[in-house]
């Protein structure tokens, strides 16, 4: 029997503390005007001291499980996308597994930076399609504030902390009109490694390091590579941009989001935007945006949702979901 992954629940969590652009401008040579005009960001949430990636992940997961009506014990797979794990090892997913009361199956982390959620979703969807998992939790959780150089205005104003999660369940594939993950499309090109990286790590410096980015080059790549991935996802499902109900993009820069929306000919109301309030939460941005738009009733059952992201590696990808 052919299988598909149904989406049965979704949840998000943001740390309590909000830091505005004006607050950053008090200690940094920047301004609210510059940040808003160049990025669309107005504020970001920052994790409290001692609040870890696993804490954000657990809270988002609990909300997603509650929405799905599923207990942690019923899960047989957790794939957690993060660049900012609690520890170098073990996988943060295993800590969350224990906290949720899941004792069987397997839990592991996936690292594809800002594309992490699309990667994690692809892994979980393929586990389900292969019959290797029945009920899967896909999480994107980040404490990016911990790997920022707070003296580098070209990067530190861009990111925020948060987590989002999706619960998937195996169901028989019946054909066109099926709800769930329709397809996932992943890419990477390691030649662009130096374009966006962290200048530390266990094998190189034995320090955590800070984010370094050639923002202009990343921007240029994002615009054309994301457009290609989106076209690929639509073509694979014999759909066109006119079929899309919602574009839920990774939230890195408002100008990148607008450019993809324009290329697809989508009206602004069909694009879910959270960057103004969340900033770039890396692997968490898409599930946070999905949780917000599904939670407030914008995304409804049966609608077609396109997600896309690009991040360090470079990595990028897109996926079509029938909600
Ligand atoms: O999620 C992972 C993927 N990441 C991305 O997709 C990020 C992609 N890149 C971007 O979003 C944009 O390139 C940035 C927002 C990072 C930068 O915007 P930009 O329009 O490309 O600006 P720029 O880097 O070309 O810098 C323009 C000017 C520079 O000054 P000069 O050299 O023209 O005098 C910067 O020093 O803006 C200056 N600048 C700032 N000024 C005030 C850079 N950061 C700031 C700042 N406040 N925070």
């Amino acid at each position: 029997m052919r299988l598909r992954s149904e989406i049965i629940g979704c949840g998000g969590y943001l740390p309590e503390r909000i830091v505005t652009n004006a607050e950053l401008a008090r200690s940094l040579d920047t301004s609210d005007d510059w940040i808003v005009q160049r990025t669309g960001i107005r504020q970001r949430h920052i994790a409290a001291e001692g609040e870890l990636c696993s804490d954000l992940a657990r809270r988002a997961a609990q909300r997603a499980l509650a929405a799905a009506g599923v207990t942690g014990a019923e899960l047989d797979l957790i794939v957690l996308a993060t660049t900012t794990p609690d520890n170098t090892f073990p996988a943060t997913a295993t800590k969350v597994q224990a906290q949720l009361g899941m004792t069987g199956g397997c839990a592991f982390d996936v690292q594809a930076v800002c594309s992490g959620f699309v990667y994690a979703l692809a892994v979980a969807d393929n586990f389900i399609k292969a019959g290797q998992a029945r009920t899967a939790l896909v999480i994107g959780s980040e404490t990016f504030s911990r790997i920022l150089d707070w003296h580098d205005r070209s990067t530190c104003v861009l990111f925020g902390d948060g987590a989002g999660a999706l619960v998937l369940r195996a169901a028989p594939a019946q054909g066109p009109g099926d709800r769930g993950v329709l397809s996932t499309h992943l890419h990477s090109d390691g030649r662009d490694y130096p374009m966006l990286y962290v200048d530390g790590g266990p094998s190189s410096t034995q320090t955590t390091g800070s984010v370094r980015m050639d923002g202009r080059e990343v921007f240029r790549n994002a615009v054309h590579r994301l457009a290609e991935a989106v076209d690929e996802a639509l073509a694979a499902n014999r759909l066109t941009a006119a079929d899309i109900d919602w574009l839920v993009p990774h939230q890195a820069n408002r100008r990148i989001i607008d450019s993809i929306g324009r290329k697809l000919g989508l009206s602004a109301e069909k694009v879910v935007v959270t960057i103004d309030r969340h900033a770039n939460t890396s692997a968490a941005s898409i599930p946070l945006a999905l949780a917000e738009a599904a939670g407030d009733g914008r995304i409804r059952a049966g609608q077609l949702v396109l997600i896309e992201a690009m991040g360090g590696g470079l990595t990028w990808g897109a996926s079509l979901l029938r909600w």
Side-chain angles (χ1 to χ4, degrees), residues 28-31 34-35 38-39 113-114 152-155 157-159 196 213-220 222 250-253 255-256 280 282 310-312:
L28 201 64
D29 180 16
T30 188
S31 65
W34 191 95
I35 301 172
R38 296 295 179 119
T39 72
V113 207
C114 297
D152 176 10
R153 67 177 183 173
S154 70
T155 52
V157 304
L158 304 174
F159 296 92
L196 173 51
M213 174 168 73
D214 180 345
R216 236 177 274 186
E217 271 305 295
V218 175
F219 189 102
R220 204 177 57 76
H250 168 51
Q251 313 276 322
N253 187 311
R255 290 182 290 142
I256 298 175
N280 180 349
S282 184
M310 197 193 79

Side-chain angles (χ1 to χ4, degrees), residues 89-134:
F89 84 83
T92 299
T94 59
K95 198 190 263 188
V96 176
Q97 177 188 29
Q99 291 169 339
L100 296 177
M102 168 188 165
T103 50
C106 66
F108 56 89
D109 290 356
V110 157
Q111 157 61 298
V113 207
C114 297
S115 313
F117 185 76
V118 184
Y119 270 63
L121 183 72
V123 171
D125 181 44
N126 283 314
F127 262 67
I128 286 178
K129 282 182 179 152
Q132 216 171 336
R134 270 194 53 76

